[in-house]
Amino acid sequence: MNDCLFCKIASGEIPSKKIAESDDIYAFEDVNPQAPTHILLIPKKHVPSNLELVDGDKKVVGQIFLMANEIAAQLGIDQTGFRVVTNCGANAGQAVSHIHFHLLGGREMSWPPG
Ligand code: 5GP
Ligand code: ZN
């Protein structure tokens, strides 16, 4: 049985605010936004984190970055700037064990991240 929260969101079993979708990717609003725009992009395939990515996932990771660009343009943050972030493991603060890419924008961000 797959008990993964983001697999359930991608399949529609758990509701979410969908922003975009393709055969292999689902993008939705983060429930606890850290910026005026905060979208999560996930592969529909269950991959727990960066560390479990395999050769066959190269294409979908590239497609996620291209979809993030499209969403950034749709939501009007492409020209002001945005960040695409993936947290991997405990020290990075990864809370959900299904790889996800945060698209953040709509405000100025500092560097380095906390
Ligand atoms: P992480 O800390 O693992 O990189 O990020 C997990 C993200 O998932 C957090 O930003 C958190 O707000 C978001 N999140 C957790 N549970 C849910 C949920 O049920 N629905 C949505 N839309 N986002 C969630
Ligand atoms: Zn999953």
Side-chain angles (χ1 to χ4, degrees), residues 15-33:
S16 65
K17 290 189 182 160
K18 178 168 116 173
I19 296 292
E21 186 172 12
S22 72
D23 286 349
D24 301 317
I25 303 165
Y26 187 72
F28 57 106
E29 285 183 8
D30 195 293
V31 78
N32 182 23

Side-chain angles (χ1 to χ4, degrees), residues 5 19-20 24 33 45 62-63 66 72 78-79 87 97 99 102 113:
L5 171 64
I19 296 292
D24 301 317
K45 175 191 164 190
Q63 287 169 335
L66 293 177
D78 54 330
Q79 298 306 311
N87 296 321
S97 295
I99 193 170
H102 299 257

Side-chain angles (χ1 to χ4, degrees), residues 2-8 42-48 96-99:
N2 184 353
D3 245 350
C4 171
L5 171 64
F6 283 179
C7 280
K8 288 180 179 170
I42 61 174
K44 290 182 178 176
K45 175 191 164 190
H46 181 79
V47 177
V96 179
S97 295
H98 179 131
I99 193 170

Side-chain angles (χ1 to χ4, degrees), residues 45-58:
K45 175 191 164 190
H46 181 79
V47 177
S49 81
N50 299 45
L51 293 173
E52 289 78 24
L53 287 167
V54 295
D55 235 38
D57 299 323
K58 284 178 180 171

Side-chain angles (χ1 to χ4, degrees), residues 58-110:
K58 284 178 180 171
K59 194 173 165 192
V60 74
V61 172
Q63 287 169 335
I64 282 173
F65 275 86
L66 293 177
M67 186 184 277
N69 285 351
E70 285 170 20
I71 294 170
Q74 264 170 33
L75 300 181
I77 57 167
D78 54 330
Q79 298 306 311
T80 47
F82 58 89
R83 193 173 282 175
V84 179
V85 186
T86 308
N87 296 321
C88 179
N91 273 2
Q94 183 179 4
V96 179
S97 295
H98 179 131
I99 193 170
H100 47 283
F101 296 75
H102 299 257
L103 168 61
L104 297 146
R107 67 167 170 83
E108 233 177 87
M109 283 171 263
S110 58

